[in-house]
């Protein structure tokens, strides 16, 4: 029977066995040594042998990675370090040596042997650490060896929880917004993001991603997060999220029933003319918001209501429509212009004079007294000749 009492604690509790295809499971083992008796015990060494291997009864498969340290605490609360050294080659043990070769272990005192960075063996089960103490009841008397078995539990590796909460920082994007996608997930997965026209692998330990400017969404876009486990057999998880774009860019739009919109606008700054749909029809605006122009090869209309009509050039003739008829002007000015026609079929003509088509042709003047017939004679106004086949008088 040992003079001292031994208790094992682990972090995490319990330890989780390592799993193939995943990063090794690691933890820390604390061996707490106390004197629960009524009198002091004098100790020289305490040796802890660790079961090494891959079986259910083994703590670790790599004894060399364990980092030991020791600390002694008195009932009053004072702490001091103690020497912890690996045992003989192949013993898979650690040995704690008392200061000066032998020291008192008073009632209520404690010592903690810490084994850090323990790589846990891959099989679940119960591992037993074997402790050998060299102790005695007096400072100078004979020491005796006693042993104790101290167990700890290794549980089977838990299934890796799948990633979750794949989300955008904004669900509606304006043209200058930067998109960031985030999620929660384990380092036991590798991640990539799929989107229309592309795929991006995510750097290790990152849990967020923003597309480069060239990959920024231009319309409603669905992103797929693919999480691939590093374990065997390999498992994949797929999560999706969608973002909307306030002013989407579309390659083409086909509407089978109709489009309801207050206006349509050009795509570039230089040509942002706008078609506005009002209650009475359509308005055309330029890129400054003022009224603008419709250009077409032909217009087939039932009627046209307009203040004036002009040729395509600024100095072409034009026609205005006053209440009493129409006016014909020339050269883009308000100078009277000419009407040319093959034939005119009229109910009446009110005019001051009538002339042939040539500048030197004769002309008829309508005066107060009647009709005057003139001819041009070297630029001089002279009476002309009226030729008729027959005159009937009544």
């Amino acid at each position: 029977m040992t003079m001292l009492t031994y208790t094992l604690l682990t972090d995490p509790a319990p330890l989780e066995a390592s799993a193939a295809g995943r990063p090794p499971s690691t933890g820390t083992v604390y061996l707490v040594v106390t004197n629960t008796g009524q009198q002091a015990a004098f100790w020289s060494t305490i040796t802890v042998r660790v079961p090494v291997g891959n079986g259910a009864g083994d703590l670790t498969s790599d004894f060399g990675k364990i980092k030991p340290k020791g600390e002694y605490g008195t009932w009053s609360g004072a702490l001091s370090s103690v020497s912890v050294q690996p045992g003989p080659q192949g013993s898979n043990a650690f040995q704690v040596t008392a200061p000066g070769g032998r020291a008192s272990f008073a009632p209520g005192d404690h010592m903690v042997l810490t084994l850090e960075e323990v790589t846990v063996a891959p099989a679940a089960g119960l591992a037993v650490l074997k402790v050998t103490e060299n102790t005695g009841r007096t400072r100078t008397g004979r020491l005796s060896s006693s042993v104790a078995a101290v167990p700890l539990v290794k549980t089977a590796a838990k299934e890796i929880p799948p990633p979750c909460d794949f989300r955008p920082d904004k669900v509606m994007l304006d043209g200058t917004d930067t998109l960031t996608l985030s999620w929660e997930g384990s380092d036991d997965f590798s991640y990539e993001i799929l989107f229309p026209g592309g795929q991006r692998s995510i750097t290790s330990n990152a849990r967020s991603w923003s597309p480069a400017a060239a990959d920024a969404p231009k319309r409603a876009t669905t992103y797929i997060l693919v999480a691939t486990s590093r374990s065997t057999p390999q498992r994949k998880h797929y999560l999706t999220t969608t973002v909307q774009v306030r002013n989407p860019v579309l390659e083409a739009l086909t509407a089978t029933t109709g489009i309801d919109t207050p206006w349509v606008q050009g795509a570039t700054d230089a040509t942002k003319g706008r078609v506005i749909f009002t209650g009475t029809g359509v308005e055309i605006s330029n890129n400054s918001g003022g009224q603008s122009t419709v250009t077409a090869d032909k217009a087939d209309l039932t009627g046209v209501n307009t203040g004036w009509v002009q040729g395509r050039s600024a100095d072409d003739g034009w026609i205005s429509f006053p209440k009493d008829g129409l006016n014909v002007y020339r050269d883009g000015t308000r100078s009277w212009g000419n009407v040319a026609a093959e034939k005119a079929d009229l109910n009446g003509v009110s005019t001051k004079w009538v002339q042939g088509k040539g500048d030197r042709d004769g002309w008829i003047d309508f005066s107060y007294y009647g009709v005057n017939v003139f001819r041009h004679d070297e630029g001089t106004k002279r009476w002309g000749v009226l030729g008729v086949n027959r005159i009937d008088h009544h």
Side-chain angles (χ1 to χ4, degrees):
M1 181 177 178
T2 59
M3 292 185 185
L4 303 174
T5 301
Y6 299 91
T7 304
L8 270 180
L9 301 172
T10 63
D11 180 23
L15 294 178
E16 185 176 296
S18 296
R22 289 164 56 176
S25 173
T26 60
T28 302
V29 176
Y30 301 95
L31 178 63
V32 182
V33 186
T34 57
N35 183 357
T36 60
Q38 299 297 315
Q39 56 183 325
F42 292 87
W43 66 285
S44 174
T45 60
I46 297 174
T47 303
V48 180
R49 186 164 67 85
V50 177
V52 176
N54 294 316
D58 298 315
L59 173 62
T60 182
S61 59
D62 195 342
F63 179 82
K65 287 187 175 180
I66 299 176
K67 295 182 178 179
K69 66 179 182 179
E71 188 175 59
Y72 190 92
T74 65
W75 180 255
S76 65
L79 298 174
S80 60
S81 61
V82 293
S83 175
V84 182
Q85 298 294 331
Q89 181 70 28
S91 66
N92 296 329
F94 296 103
Q95 183 172 286
V96 186
T97 302
R102 186 182 296 197
S104 173
F105 209 123
D109 288 358
H110 71 277
M111 182 170 58
V112 178
L113 173 61
T114 303
L115 306 180
E116 296 179 327
E117 299 185 20
V118 176
T119 300
V120 185
L126 186 69
V128 178
L129 276 65
K130 296 179 180 180
V131 181
T132 302
E133 66 175 33
N134 284 324
T135 56
R137 285 302 180 188
T138 63
R139 184 177 296 277
T140 58
R142 189 175 68 88
L143 299 177
S144 61
S145 294
S146 302
V147 296
V150 190
L152 62 82
V153 174
K154 301 175 299 170
T155 60
K158 298 181 180 66
E159 183 177 349
I160 307 170
C164 62
D165 198 18
F166 183 43
R167 64 199 183 277
D169 61 336
K170 304 179 186 71
V171 295
M172 179 65 74
L173 299 174
D174 288 316
T176 58
D177 288 343
T178 298
L179 171 66
T180 299
L181 302 174
S182 305
W183 63 95
E184 306 297 332
S186 168
D187 287 339
D188 293 314
F189 290 97
S190 60
Y191 299 95
E192 62 179 347
I193 291 181
L194 308 181
F195 53 92
Q199 172 272 335
R200 295 292 181 271
S201 296
I202 307 303
T203 57
S204 178
N205 300 325
R207 296 296 179 272
S208 64
W209 174 80
S210 294
D215 297 328
K218 296 178 175 59
R219 62 190 68 88
T221 301
T222 297
Y223 293 90
I224 303 174
L225 175 68
V226 182
T228 305
S229 70
R230 296 188 175 94
S231 61
T232 304
Q234 196 176 74
R235 293 180 296 129
K236 286 182 178 288
H237 298 275
Y238 299 86
L239 288 83
T240 63
T241 191
T242 300
V243 297
Q244 304 290 331
V245 177
R246 194 177 305 279
N247 296 305
V249 177
L250 304 175
E251 295 177 1
L253 176 64
T254 300
T256 58
T257 303
I259 297 175
D260 291 335
T261 180
W263 52 266
V264 177
Q265 180 173 284
T268 63
D269 290 338
T271 59
K272 280 189 175 178
R274 180 177 291 192
V275 180
I276 303 169
F277 301 93
T278 68
T280 58
V282 175
E283 294 179 359
I284 307 297
S285 299
N286 59 25
N287 55 9
S288 299
Q291 289 187 341
S292 189
T293 304
V294 175
T295 301
D297 183 61
K298 180 181 179 181
D300 186 354
L301 308 170
T302 301
V304 177
N305 290 335
T306 182
W308 52 269
V309 176
Q310 184 179 13
R312 291 186 174 184
S313 300
D315 58 354
D316 284 352
W318 59 288
I319 302 171
S320 68
F321 301 92
K323 288 185 177 181
D324 57 351
L326 63 85
N327 296 324
V328 178
Y329 300 104
R330 57 178 293 173
D331 302 327
T333 68
R334 285 192 173 271
S335 298
W336 293 112
N338 300 320
V339 176
E342 176 71 21
K343 179 180 179 182
D345 185 354
L346 308 170
N347 291 329
V349 177
S350 295
T351 182
K352 183 174 178 59
W353 51 268
V354 176
Q355 183 180 5
K357 289 186 176 183
D359 290 339
R360 294 178 58 82
D361 288 352
W363 53 290
I364 301 172
D365 177 85
F366 299 93
S367 67
Y368 173 80
Y369 300 101
V371 176
N372 298 319
V373 178
F374 298 105
R375 65 185 177 88
H376 283 280
D377 186 3
E378 300 298 334
T380 302
K381 177 180 177 182
R382 296 181 182 276
W383 292 110
V385 177
L386 177 65
V388 298
N389 184 47
R390 179 181 176 182
I391 298 177
D392 290 334
H393 295 277
H394 295 282

